[in-house]
Amino acid sequence: MSQSKLNPLSMYKKERRTLRSELEKAFRVVYGSGDILTTHGKQVYCSNLFMKLCQTSLSLLSLCPDPDDKDFQFSRIDLSSTAALSRVVMDTFVAWFHFGFEECSEDEFRTRQLLLFWRDFRVRAKVFAPFENGGVDEYSDFHSADLKMRLGENEFWMSLPEKTRDHLLRKNNTLHSPDEVLTRAGFDAEECRAIYAYFSAHTHCDSVAFMRVGENDRGQGFSNDADLSGLVWCLGTSTPFLSFATKKTNEFFKDALSRANKVKGFNPFDIRIPPRPWAGISFDDL
């Protein structure tokens, strides 16, 4: 995630090229891990969240015009939109690692999953309650009681301090915070938090996003050093997360990349994909 001393355009070319190369590999892994009968919830989360990570990274790439295009200087760039997508890449990576990849006991995985269900019902109730005349609240209360009962039967959950359990339920939190997940994945959580704050300032149109529009041509839609430097941060931050997840998802699905590479006519950037020869095989039989 560190910046080099190259000029912004040179850095932009390098980072965009790197992300595109990683995406080609990533979508091969997506293809190679598809149409497999799963035998555990973690496999579903790993596959679905990795797909979301790839799709968001591809959307990020699509907002970064090709610097080799002869009309690149007339291309429009939007730092706020790329920053927003880069935030989603980071969020999705955290979810992928926590629910779909990290090794843990079966009881702990079940706790993570039940807390995810808890968060889903509680947050949905809060978001939709104004539009449902209380209906969603009743629906949520029913499931909340059921989830509390199921958590109470989980040895890992009951081994946590009561204060911790109350806090997780009250705040609708996941078992581990994003900082904890990033650290467990081997990333610098403090650095990631700082970059995330920069992306958020642009996403939510804080003063950083508009107070200097026009200064050094920034924020007006066309190529300039200031906005290109911002895109470099977006690309350079997102690529390591995608690269890590691609490598680990490939391993998790037992060399999905090799399976994809054996299929003739597969283009990772074409949504029209050929049938998978392994369709219907069980994960355990890979």
Side-chain angles (χ1 to χ4, degrees):
M1 300 180 191
S2 61
Q3 298 243 23
S4 72
K5 293 183 180 180
L6 297 173
N7 67 62
L9 180 56
S10 297
M11 288 192 292
Y12 175 74
K13 288 181 177 181
K14 176 178 177 294
E15 295 294 351
R16 188 185 186 281
R17 191 178 304 118
T18 302
L19 177 58
R20 192 184 189 286
S21 176
E22 285 297 330
L23 271 169
E24 181 173 355
K25 186 188 303 179
F27 274 109
R28 289 184 182 277
V29 172
V30 167
Y31 179 75
S33 58
D35 285 344
I36 293 169
L37 299 180
T38 56
T39 56
H40 193 278
K42 181 182 286 188
Q43 297 158 13
V44 178
Y45 293 129
C46 184
S47 178
N48 289 350
L49 287 165
F50 182 64
M51 166 66 86
K52 176 174 169 56
L53 182 64
C54 293
Q55 288 295 128
T56 304
S57 298
L58 181 60
S59 295
L60 171 62
L61 182 72
S62 71
L63 287 179
C64 298
D66 186 350
D68 294 327
D69 191 312
K70 63 181 178 65
D71 292 324
F72 173 71
Q73 61 180 321
F74 303 114
S75 300
R76 286 196 174 274
I77 59 176
D78 180 3
L79 179 55
S80 290
S81 295
T82 53
L85 286 173
S86 299
R87 266 184 27 136
V88 179
V89 167
M90 297 177 76
D91 289 336
T92 306
F93 176 85
V94 168
W96 167 85
F97 188 87
H98 187 63
F99 296 110
F101 177 73
E102 187 180 29
E103 288 292 331
C104 62
S105 69
E106 186 61 28
D107 265 2
E108 180 177 342
F109 173 78
R110 190 62 176 158
T111 294
R112 295 182 186 195
Q113 189 176 47
L114 289 171
L115 286 174
L116 176 64
F117 295 162
W118 173 271
R119 177 178 175 81
D120 181 53
F121 287 124
R122 303 295 290 186
V123 172
R124 276 169 15 102
K126 183 177 180 179
V127 170
F128 292 108
F131 310 103
E132 297 289 343
N133 297 318
V136 175
D137 279 335
E138 296 173 10
Y139 176 74
S140 177
D141 288 343
F142 169 79
H143 285 282
S144 295
D146 175 64
L147 288 170
K148 280 186 175 180
M149 179 187 71
R150 291 157 71 184
L151 282 166
E153 297 169 349
N154 184 291
E155 289 186 11
F156 177 84
W157 172 255
M158 295 306 296
S159 72
L160 298 175
E162 183 178 359
K163 186 176 181 180
T164 299
R165 300 199 305 266
D166 290 344
H167 175 79
L168 289 170
L169 294 179
R170 187 173 65 256
K171 295 294 187 179
N172 303 319
N173 282 348
T174 54
L175 182 61
H176 300 298
S177 70
D179 277 8
E180 290 173 318
V181 174
L182 289 165
T183 299
R184 293 158 81 100
F187 288 84
D188 185 328
E190 186 174 352
E191 179 186 18
C192 289
R193 196 184 322 115
I195 295 173
Y196 192 89
Y198 169 75
F199 291 156
S200 296
H202 284 278
T203 300
H204 299 302
C205 202
D206 199 353
S207 59
V208 173
F210 67 87
M211 286 289 287
R212 294 164 186 81
V213 168
E215 182 180 294
N216 297 322
D217 295 330
R218 75 173 72 217
Q220 300 182 80
F222 50 81
S223 178
N224 61 86
D225 284 353
D227 286 339
L228 282 177
S229 294
L231 296 188
V232 168
W233 277 111
C234 294
L235 294 165
T237 298
S238 300
T239 300
F241 291 118
L242 178 65
S243 179
F244 182 102
T246 298
K247 181 177 184 294
K248 298 303 183 181
T249 301
N250 181 55
E251 294 171 0
F252 187 84
F253 281 95
K254 305 174 185 180
D255 205 3
L257 186 59
S258 290
R259 283 194 294 277
N261 288 339
K262 293 175 182 176
V263 178
K264 292 182 178 180
F266 172 65
N267 178 353
F269 292 108
D270 191 338
I271 200 168
R272 297 164 296 182
I273 60 173
R276 297 176 172 94
W278 56 87
I281 191 173
S282 168
F283 179 88
D284 294 337
D285 294 331
L286 286 174

